[in-house]
Amino acid sequence: MHGVFEALGEPVRRLILELLAAGEQPAGDLVAAVQSRLPISQPAVSQHLKVLREASLVSVRASGTRRLYALDEAGLDAAGAWLARLADPLGPFAQPLDALATEVARGRRTRRAAAAEPQAARPSDDQGSQTA
């Protein structure tokens, strides 16, 4: 996750990610879309794409003479998981704690059942007074 949040700190890079959220796009289309919104050169957009690639936020593949860019799901998932751990720091403990709660409940049921058995086996006072 090296450099992910540094890469996201730049508004142009966030714009590129938003554009790629619609799907894979050729570099030329990305440059045109960014330039329609901001005064930026083609080499500057290329540099931003390079930073996003190095941060594993976008991937690139060659198709003939074109370079097609897309969101890198693995990089985005890693960033999302890191943020989720911040939002719910006890999340990794949820399943073990659920298992513990199940075991505690099972122990309570067992103790209640064991305590009820001797009472059911003893004759009640009413039955003893009726036979006398």
Side-chain angles (χ1 to χ4, degrees):
M1 211 174 55
H2 179 54
V4 170
F5 295 103
E6 290 84 356
L8 293 173
E10 171 60 48
V12 174
R13 295 181 198 134
R14 290 193 305 270
L15 172 60
I16 292 170
L17 291 175
E18 289 172 15
L19 294 169
L20 288 174
E24 185 177 62
Q25 296 184 40
D29 290 357
L30 285 172
V31 169
V34 173
Q35 286 178 332
S36 73
R37 297 179 181 162
L38 302 167
I40 188 170
S41 67
Q42 181 276 328
V45 174
S46 294
Q47 185 60 37
H48 286 298
L49 286 167
K50 178 182 175 187
V51 171
L52 291 169
R53 272 193 332 268
E54 290 173 351
S56 299
L57 293 171
V58 300
S59 61
V60 63
R61 70 178 180 89
S63 175
T65 59
R66 297 177 357 158
R67 295 176 64 81
L68 300 171
Y69 286 85
L71 293 177
D72 185 332
E73 295 299 327
L76 293 173
D77 288 346
W82 187 84
L83 288 170
R85 284 194 308 272
L86 290 180
D88 185 14
L90 298 179
F93 300 105
Q95 186 176 4
L97 290 176
D98 288 345
L100 176 62
T102 300
E103 289 303 316
V104 167
R106 184 176 293 138
R108 286 181 183 150
R109 281 193 306 271
T110 303
R111 285 192 302 277
R112 279 195 301 259
E117 273 182 27
Q119 292 175 356
R122 283 186 265 160
S124 70
D125 290 336
D126 292 339
Q127 290 177 351
S129 62
Q130 290 176 356
T131 57

